[in-house]
Amino acid sequence: TIIEPVRAYNYVTSIKGKESESTVFAFQKFTIPDKKQLVVELFEKDGGRHLRFVIKNGDLAKARTIGRLQ
């Protein structure tokens, strides 16, 4: 199942070498059933870098609601 973000804060499409950026993605509230996980993958366009991380329901339980983004 693909879950699309409803909002992004500081959405960055390119980063210069040796720099870093942060982007916050907001989703509708959801839970992950036991024995399942949310896998987030980011791919570099025309590049070889690939970032993948796993989020379990316990991680989501610790998430805070964002009332308002600037």
Side-chain angles (χ1 to χ4, degrees), residues 15-21 49:
I15 302 170
K16 295 180 181 181
K18 302 192 185 210
E19 291 188 7
S20 65
E21 287 287 343
R49 292 180 280 191

Side-chain angles (χ1 to χ4, degrees), residues 8-68:
Y9 177 74
N10 193 38
Y11 186 74
V12 179
T13 58
S14 66
I15 302 170
K16 295 180 181 181
K18 302 192 185 210
E19 291 188 7
S20 65
E21 287 287 343
S22 296
T23 300
V24 176
F25 292 100
F27 298 88
Q28 290 291 335
K29 192 173 186 178
F30 66 94
T31 58
I32 301 171
D34 291 337
K35 298 183 182 178
K36 295 210 175 196
Q37 56 194 13
L38 173 65
V39 178
V40 178
E41 294 183 297
L42 301 170
F43 296 90
E44 181 181 33
K45 183 178 178 180
D46 299 326
R49 292 180 280 191
H50 173 206
L51 175 65
R52 180 181 192 266
F53 57 96
V54 176
I55 300 171
K56 295 182 180 177
N57 196 43
D59 300 320
L60 283 181
K62 298 174 194 172
R64 293 177 291 149
T65 300
I66 298 173
R68 181 178 169 180

